[in-house]
Amino acid sequence: MEVKVKVFRFDPEQDKKPHYESYTIEAEPTDRVLDMLEFIKGTFDGTLSFRRSCAHGICGSDGMRINGRNYLACKALLKDLHATHITIEPLMGMRVIKDLIVDMEPFFDNYRRVLPYFVNDDDPPAQERLQSPEQRERFDDTTKCILCACCTTSCPSFWANEKYVGPAAIVNAHRFIFDSRDQAGAERLQILNDQFGVYRCHTIFNCTIVCPREIEITQAIGEVKRAIATGSLE
Ligand code: SF4
Ligand code: F3S
Ligand code: FES
């Protein structure tokens, strides 16, 4: 089928402002948007810039806006977009470095703020730190995050104020807050209880809708809010 692809282009070393370029290509319904970008880069313009690595929905590097909604380009099949005109733009609310590549550093700064690692200062046991299947299940969903930023950059609260820590950081805080072996839950809850923390979330759900890992993000944020309000991790 014939597809018209409109791509956001911006090279700050040459362009005063961004513009769009359009390409007409032949594609199969089972082609992914990443395939189309690779084709355009290989056929029409080698300077087109975008991030990708695994091409299989694992590395999280090719988050972008496709017809107005965030996807991983490697997981967005043409047939699922139900369109023959495709507009591809960088993630919103982030500085564009070039074309579809955005500066992810502020996103990772917010991620680092929530101590996204295991904390336990007790001496290690002889074998392992035991945990029941129920305790492990408590945070299973939030272990699946691949840090693609699709959630945070689809959140109107983040667009309104980029200092909002954002759903991705809260998901990664949740993963450790509710881990029975971890000891820094209270500290993370305190970090998330500031003016740019969880209460910037107004339950808009965009994050949950776009998450390529189908994480119940809004629910996880609600659990963190409840833990702050009650002081309990139950
Ligand atoms: Fe991406 Fe989902 Fe993780 Fe957000 S929670 S960064 S959308 S994988
Ligand atoms: Fe934003 Fe998701 Fe909350 S879209 S407002 S973080 S539910
Ligand atoms: Fe790795 Fe898409 S290229 S998730």
Side-chain angles (χ1 to χ4, degrees), residues 104-123:
M104 294 284 284
E105 270 317 301
F107 173 80
F108 285 114
D109 285 345
N110 278 328
Y111 169 66
R112 284 186 283 266
R113 263 188 72 201
V114 303
L115 318 177
Y117 41 79
F118 184 64
V119 177
N120 187 321
D121 294 331
D122 293 346
D123 291 336

Side-chain angles (χ1 to χ4, degrees), residues 154-157 164 167 200-208 218 221:
S154 69
C155 171
S157 294
Y164 169 37
R200 292 258 161 187
C201 167
H202 302 297
T203 326
I204 294 170
F205 272 92
N206 282 12
C207 53
T208 304
T218 312
I221 295 172

Side-chain angles (χ1 to χ4, degrees), residues 95-161:
R95 184 179 66 86
V96 175
I97 295 175
K98 187 168 185 288
D99 298 337
L100 303 171
I101 297 178
V102 294
D103 179 6
M104 294 284 284
E105 270 317 301
F107 173 80
F108 285 114
D109 285 345
N110 278 328
Y111 169 66
R112 284 186 283 266
R113 263 188 72 201
V114 303
L115 318 177
Y117 41 79
F118 184 64
V119 177
N120 187 321
D121 294 331
D122 293 346
D123 291 336
Q127 290 187 330
E128 65 212 88
R129 297 183 199 274
L130 290 177
Q131 191 166 56
S132 71
E134 292 74 25
Q135 287 171 322
R136 175 62 180 75
E137 179 63 27
R138 184 72 186 81
F139 60 92
D140 186 65
D141 198 33
T142 46
T143 63
K144 296 173 189 157
C145 176
I146 55 172
L147 293 171
C148 66
C150 285
C151 55
T152 297
T153 59
S154 69
C155 171
S157 294
F158 173 73
W159 299 337
N161 192 328

Side-chain angles (χ1 to χ4, degrees), residues 26-202:
E26 277 298 317
E28 298 294 327
T30 49
D31 281 349
R32 307 162 305 169
V33 169
L34 181 62
D35 299 319
M36 294 188 249
L37 286 172
E38 301 274 22
F39 180 79
I40 292 168
K41 186 175 174 70
T43 309
F44 298 115
D45 185 353
T47 69
L48 174 61
S49 302
F50 52 90
R51 286 196 183 100
R52 61 88 90 184
S53 182
C54 71
H56 287 90
I58 299 300
C59 73
S61 63
D62 62 342
M64 57 188 73
R65 216 160 8 125
I66 300 166
N67 283 356
R69 178 206 195 271
N70 286 355
Y71 292 90
L72 295 176
C74 65
K75 287 193 79 178
L77 269 58
L78 184 52
K79 67 182 168 83
D80 295 335
L81 299 174
H82 306 290
T84 52
H85 289 61
I86 311 288
T87 302
I88 308 175
E89 298 165 297
L91 295 174
M92 269 176 86
M94 319 274 263
R95 184 179 66 86
V96 175
I97 295 175
K98 187 168 185 288
D99 298 337
L100 303 171
I101 297 178
V102 294
D103 179 6
M104 294 284 284
E105 270 317 301
F107 173 80
F108 285 114
D109 285 345
N110 278 328
Y111 169 66
R112 284 186 283 266
R113 263 188 72 201
V114 303
L115 318 177
Y117 41 79
F118 184 64
V119 177
N120 187 321
D121 294 331
D122 293 346
D123 291 336
Q127 290 187 330
E128 65 212 88
R129 297 183 199 274
L130 290 177
Q131 191 166 56
S132 71
E134 292 74 25
Q135 287 171 322
R136 175 62 180 75
E137 179 63 27
R138 184 72 186 81
F139 60 92
D140 186 65
D141 198 33
T142 46
T143 63
K144 296 173 189 157
C145 176
I146 55 172
L147 293 171
C148 66
C150 285
C151 55
T152 297
T153 59
S154 69
C155 171
S157 294
F158 173 73
W159 299 337
N161 192 328
E162 63 186 12
K163 287 190 181 159
Y164 169 37
V165 67
I170 302 170
V171 160
N172 285 278
H174 179 286
R175 182 260 170 266
F176 291 101
I177 288 168
F178 292 96
D179 186 332
S180 58
R181 304 161 300 179
D182 184 272
Q183 296 177 335
E187 194 179 345
R188 291 189 196 91
L189 291 175
Q190 201 175 6
I191 292 166
L192 289 171
N193 192 19
D194 79 0
Q195 67 180 131
F196 302 115
V198 282
Y199 293 109
R200 292 258 161 187
C201 167
H202 302 297

